[in-house]
Amino acid sequence: MAMSEMKKKSELIFIPTPGIGHLVSSLEFAKLLINTHTNLSITVLCIKFPGIPISNSYIKSALASEPQIQLIDLPEVEQPPQEVLKSPEFFIFTLMESLIPHVKAAIKTILSDKIVGLVLDFFCLSMIDVGNELGIPSYLFLTSNVGFLSLMLSLQNRRIEDIFDDSNLDHQFLIHGFSIPVPFNVLPDAVFNKHGGYVAYYKFAERFRDTKGIIVNTFSELEQYSIDSLSSHDEKVPPIYAVGPLLDLKGNPNPNLDQSQHDLILKWLDEQPNKSVVFLCFGSLGVSFAPSQIREIALGLKGSEVRFLWANNAEKQGLPQGFLEWMELEGKGMICGWAPQVEILAHKAVGGFVSHCGWNSILESLRFGVPILTWPIYAEQQLNAFRMVKEWGVAVELRMDYRRGSDNVVAEEIEKGLKDLMDKDNIVNKKVKEMKEKARNAVASGGSSFISVGKLIDNIIGSNL
């Protein structure tokens, strides 16, 4: 039954984590729901993180034309003690715990029988207790993938001492949801962290089964094996709804990118041959490499002779002498600061992407049919890179186990990786083209994700129909 036939209006409360990597898909999902279900309204509780001012401006620009979505700013809380900073995950866990009274107070100000659910980011699952107290069911919105979900659910079946046993670095894990064994060295940073990272992951994971549904920014054509495996193995796992890829295709304005730089980038791309440019970009956090690593990248680019657009926030620091002069003389490359990633990946001149393998970037690359050369850095990116290369065959391996602070990836590796990436006969290119069509079809009317969203809505507010 269509939502226009609903007997009464319904409201959802979204509580996203303020990092851009989490906000983009969360807000896109909110917009998708209200644009396809007109009797639904959404309130977003806005969390402020120390040192991430961009999140507030992004939320306001992304939702400026959405009257069905209201915003409530939560008060800033005192930053956790310094020792908590040794683990980003435990820092966030501690910060979220301190926000619980403010979340409860905010929801009480709007509490009515119209509120049918809390949609909680992975890091916000402690808010389930608020929902339980107020009689509101909770749903997990996972900005990563079903493979990561599988890993998290598996943590409770393992002994901590096994995880921290350094002699097992070459060990492989059998995890329900993965079609092949998972090497120890591609597990997320938090799994190895004895300063609260592992504990935080464990505490987040133990709340997954307390939700009424798990909403994942993925599409079943990519992760059907994982979805089926989890659902059949553990009857306590809530229903999984694959609703992606959820992407900000309009590219909301970013305060770090001025219009003149934006226009310069697009003009340069317009002048390049079709599928000839490699785009190098390492995420919304603006990861900075050491000068020695910048030098190796530059030498690898020069040796490969590929055209390139390099989002390098360090700009000229570490570049070999004469590199900029060579780049300008040859006309093959451009170095910029912040870059409009979606527009760049959508451009006909771009044929390859050197990426940190953040999940949003992976989905964008698949949506536009641009193969990735894997260079993971933090969080679950190593696990993503492993799946892209070994499980799905839609990426070229540079490294799968690189982490922030690792030894340099040397120029020869980079040069070879770039040549393999841009080889038009590479089987990866064929697989990525196939996945591009599946990604687009999934979110189209009648597609797998379109249908999954309908089932989710029936779960959330079916009783109001």
Side-chain angles (χ1 to χ4, degrees), residues 96-146:
M96 292 303 179
E97 288 280 303
S98 65
L99 276 167
I100 288 177
H102 301 294
V103 169
K104 182 179 176 181
I107 294 176
K108 278 188 169 181
T109 64
I110 57 172
L111 191 60
S112 72
D113 61 357
K114 292 194 304 180
I115 298 176
V116 292
L118 304 182
V119 179
L120 305 174
D121 184 272
F122 160 68
F123 286 116
C124 301
L125 285 178
S126 54
M127 311 303 175
I128 288 174
D129 293 332
V130 176
N132 290 343
E133 186 176 337
L134 299 176
I136 307 170
S138 295
Y139 295 81
L140 164 62
F141 181 78
L142 192 62
T143 56
S144 189
N145 51 64
V146 183

Side-chain angles (χ1 to χ4, degrees), residues 278-282 297 300-301 304 306 345 351-358 361-362 365 370-377 381 384-385 388-389 394-400 409-422 426 428 432:
V278 170
F279 177 47
L280 296 88
C281 187
F282 297 94
I297 296 173
L301 285 168
S304 72
V306 301
L345 292 175
F353 183 20
V354 181
S355 172
H356 67 311
C357 299
S361 292
I362 287 173
S365 78
V370 180
I372 279 179
L373 184 64
T374 62
W375 194 330
I377 297 172
Q381 293 163 8
N384 292 342
M388 290 275 284
V389 173
V394 292
V396 175
E397 179 183 355
L398 178 61
R399 294 275 185 95
M400 295 189 299
V409 181
V410 297
E412 290 77 11
E413 288 180 84
I414 297 167
E415 178 181 332
K416 181 182 183 303
L418 291 169
K419 288 178 177 177
D420 290 344
L421 179 69
M422 299 303 281
N426 192 320
V428 167
V432 170

Side-chain angles (χ1 to χ4, degrees), residues 227-255:
I227 296 169
D228 291 345
S229 178
L230 272 187
S231 302
S232 62
H233 171 69
D234 188 345
E235 62 183 20
K236 293 182 180 178
V237 173
I240 298 170
Y241 301 95
V243 299
L246 296 162
L247 306 174
D248 178 10
L249 297 177
K250 294 180 181 177
N252 281 290
N254 190 300

